[in-house]
Amino acid sequence: MGLRADAARNRARILEAARAQIARYGPRAGMDEIAEAAGVAVGTLYRHFPTKADLISAALTDRTTRVVDSVEAAVERVRGGGRALEEITAVFSQLVDVSGEDRAVKSAAAALGINGDDQAKQRMRARAGLDRLITAAHADGDLHPDVTSADIALLLTTMPGHEIDTRARYRWLQLMLRGLTPARHGDRRPADRNAAGRITVGPDTPDRSTAERSVVE
């Protein structure tokens, strides 16, 4: 049986607050402070997550699930006629936007001995979806023919976090994608656009709020 609507909302708020607090304070982020940031009673937090390890493990799993859902939704849009490289760019834009929080949660998990082995099936789903997107982008002629999902995974290990500002992170994304795409499109390649094709990823992105809107619009 699933959670009641109010319990599900509380759980989502707790996980969001946990990611933000861990990004700011690391593994020493307190459960009381996380509950306060989430706007819930401490007892409510402990009913959902009896220990900090439970909370961090859940935050890790929740983020992995979101990535899988995002990739699989992108695959479905490509099957419906969407351009694969634009979908890849949109997925990566979302990853760049939360890269600092993701890195902090993974670090906190490692500090507590949480290895994330239970997420192996989710990671396999994400890799399978990425393989499909890459195959479609190859068919479109939008990626170099030798690019693989392993290459993408390797490049993502260099993704910057919140130690640099939004403009610089999106510039990293632009440069990374340009290295994967042929130059036949001229100066403005598909990798310079989000899934809606409306903005340039990189130094022309003026601020965080605009970058966020570009992903969800």
Side-chain angles (χ1 to χ4, degrees), residues 39-89:
V40 302
V42 174
T44 299
L45 185 152
Y46 279 105
R47 278 195 297 274
H48 285 279
F49 308 106
T51 68
K52 185 183 287 187
D54 292 329
L55 175 56
I56 292 176
S57 179
L60 201 60
T61 299
D62 179 70
R63 185 61 196 151
T64 302
T65 299
R66 288 171 183 257
V67 171
V68 171
D69 290 346
S70 180
V71 170
E72 292 183 342
V75 170
E76 290 305 311
R77 287 191 292 271
V78 169
R79 286 174 176 164
R83 197 81 173 182
L85 184 57
E86 292 179 350
E87 293 295 342
I88 291 170
T89 302

Side-chain angles (χ1 to χ4, degrees), residues 133-145:
L133 292 175
I134 289 172
T135 297
H138 284 156
D140 291 337
D142 287 341
L143 280 183
H144 288 301

